[in-house]
Amino acid sequence: MYADDKKNFKIKDGAIILAIESSCDETAASVVRGGREILSSEIISSCSEHIKFGGVVPEIASRAHTAAISIAVENAIKNAEITLSDIDAVAVTYGAGLLGALLVGVSYAKALAYSLGVPIVPVSHIRGHLAAAYLVDKDLKPPFVSLLASGGHTAVIVVKDYDDFKILGSTLDDAVGEAFDKVARVLGLQYPGGPNIERLAREGQNVVPMPKMLKGEGGYNFSYSGLKTAVINYVHRCEQTGTKYNKADVACSFQHAATDILVEKAIEACGEYGLNTITIGGGVAANGFLRDNLSAVCKKRGIKLVLPPKILCTDNAAMIGAEGYIQYKKGNFADLSLNAKARVDLG
Ligand code: KG4
Ligand code: ZN
């Protein structure tokens, strides 16, 4: 029985991992060697099918994954110039995310791993975002400070070891990406909100007053609900009173407020914990304004910044291969009862 065999798999250095990610609207597959080297990374997005609904529709996403997964995996294998027999393990995102979407990846991964006789490595999507940095800087080793800024999470984390995290703080309400998406909607911008706010913000100025973000007594925690509501109220007030307002200025001011606090808290964590390296992950880390700001502040303070390219910040499977390798080396294998989970703890 496969489930009993899982303890007997030989764990190899530099293992070739086929990774699968299907937690939201990207069907992704990647081949990663030794957790650090991307041999291929394929992403098939169903984003365009969700635009008219203003957000991801779970049922549409699941169907799109079903249609795309074989293609993504076949392309990943072909572009990595390997064959099925070269694969040492199959890593798959089992959570957090949309259940139906996750199940497509999990079922596919189980079937593939079973047929190849290799282990299944279950990977947390959140951990995957953090591990993307290992693909960028081959010498990166814990400890360091990691900033997680995605559609579902916002956190400042001390990565003490590859598999040992201290969460200094996280969001008390909305995630930063969620705030980008909601503010985008009220400004009449299409899904996905983040990149559209960024584009519009380039034409505006930081002149619209925004509420103070959680500092001091908030420690490393974040709160984005107040900021989001302030923007929504500002826009509604202007519309109701027929006052002209500049959408680009609103986007720019919001973007400043939403991202400045991320930079501030990451830098603070370095100081408090005596660390000199910051990494960043999650879709919001693709924001050019945040990237420039964080790069400038780190440079000024002599802090090393590991900034994954944008394509490794938004959802992808290479990051699942990076985290998958860490779990593979620990022998964290699943059996065929592996199930998808909508929520997974950050740690
Ligand atoms: O990490 P991700 O792709 O999925 C989750 O795990 O949540 O993050 C998606 C989030 C969305 O809220 C999206 O609006 C935001 O990342 N995002 C951005 C940018 N690109 C994606 N936010 C701000 N600026 C961007 N350029
Ligand atoms: Zn993500």
Side-chain angles (χ1 to χ4, degrees):
M1 191 44 203
Y2 182 86
D4 299 327
D5 283 348
K6 73 185 176 103
K7 294 181 195 72
N8 301 323
F9 289 118
K10 203 169 149 260
I11 296 174
K12 290 191 202 166
D13 270 339
I16 291 183
I17 294 190
L18 175 83
I20 294 174
E21 153 66 38
S22 70
S23 66
C24 193
D25 57 346
E26 265 92 31
T27 316
S30 172
V31 178
V32 175
R33 182 161 36 209
R36 298 270 182 170
E37 188 190 352
I38 303 173
L39 301 186
S40 65
S41 182
E42 305 298 316
I43 301 173
I44 301 172
S45 179
S46 63
C47 179
S48 60
E49 294 179 52
H50 306 285
I51 288 176
K52 63 174 176 288
F53 301 102
V56 177
V57 181
E59 178 63 23
I60 294 176
S62 307
R63 284 166 190 253
H65 286 308
T66 310
I69 193 149
S70 297
I71 303 166
V73 170
E74 280 163 22
N75 286 345
I77 290 168
K78 190 174 82 198
N79 293 335
E81 298 180 357
I82 61 160
T83 60
L84 282 171
S85 60
D86 295 318
I87 295 170
D88 294 309
V90 178
V92 63
T93 306
Y94 71 96
L98 303 169
L99 267 186
L102 287 163
L103 275 171
V104 177
V106 168
S107 310
Y108 194 99
K110 286 199 280 193
L112 182 61
Y114 180 74
S115 67
L116 295 176
V118 299
I120 307 162
V121 184
V123 173
S124 145
H125 181 83
I126 309 159
R127 292 271 194 113
H129 275 305
L130 298 178
Y134 294 121
L135 299 165
V136 182
D137 179 348
K138 309 275 181 268
D139 300 319
L140 176 66
K141 286 189 180 68
F144 52 82
V145 169
S146 194
L147 188 56
L148 173 64
S150 74
H153 294 87
T154 315
V156 182
I157 298 160
V158 171
V159 180
K160 294 196 275 179
D161 205 340
Y162 291 99
D163 200 30
D164 188 6
F165 298 79
K166 180 179 169 68
I167 297 155
L168 303 185
S170 54
T171 185
L172 303 175
D173 38 58
D174 291 357
V176 59
E178 209 177 335
F180 265 93
D181 294 337
K182 287 178 179 164
V183 166
R185 201 172 305 166
V186 82
L187 291 176
L189 302 172
Q190 279 188 335
Y191 173 83
N196 288 328
I197 292 233
E198 182 181 351
R199 222 165 286 131
L200 183 62
R202 280 192 215 117
E203 294 157 27
Q205 289 182 14
N206 181 17
V207 291
V208 180
M210 292 287 148
K212 289 254 171 299
M213 298 300 287
L214 201 59
K215 290 190 189 174
E217 79 286 359
Y220 291 99
N221 286 331
F222 300 90
S223 169
Y224 279 99
S225 156
L227 176 63
K228 172 199 73 185
T229 309
V231 176
I232 293 173
N233 288 346
Y234 175 85
V235 169
H236 285 166
R237 216 167 28 244
C238 289
E239 283 169 357
Q240 278 159 8
T241 56
T243 313
K244 269 194 143 190
Y245 69 98
N246 184 325
K247 285 189 181 181
D249 286 347
V250 176
C252 179
S253 309
F254 162 76
Q255 182 173 257
H256 262 275
T259 59
D260 285 354
I261 193 77
L262 294 170
V263 175
E264 206 172 295
K265 294 202 181 198
I267 299 284
E268 207 173 300
C270 273
E272 184 175 346
Y273 288 84
L275 296 169
N276 208 31
T277 303
I278 295 179
T279 70
I280 181 162
V284 180
N287 183 279
F289 177 77
L290 169 61
R291 296 168 75 85
D292 291 348
N293 193 4
L294 187 59
S295 303
V297 176
C298 285
K299 194 170 171 205
K300 200 165 143 203
R301 303 209 174 210
I303 293 171
K304 176 179 163 178
L305 174 64
V306 180
L307 193 58
K310 295 181 184 188
I311 195 75
L312 290 179
C313 291
T314 46
D315 289 349
N316 67 88
M319 68 183 197
I320 303 304
E323 175 63 18
Y325 184 74
I326 294 170
Q327 299 305 324
Y328 167 88
K329 289 289 282 189
K330 294 189 71 184
N332 276 343
F333 304 146
D335 60 35
L336 293 174
S337 67
L338 176 67
N339 208 347
K341 279 178 84 175
R343 292 179 169 275
V344 170
D345 280 346
L346 212 59

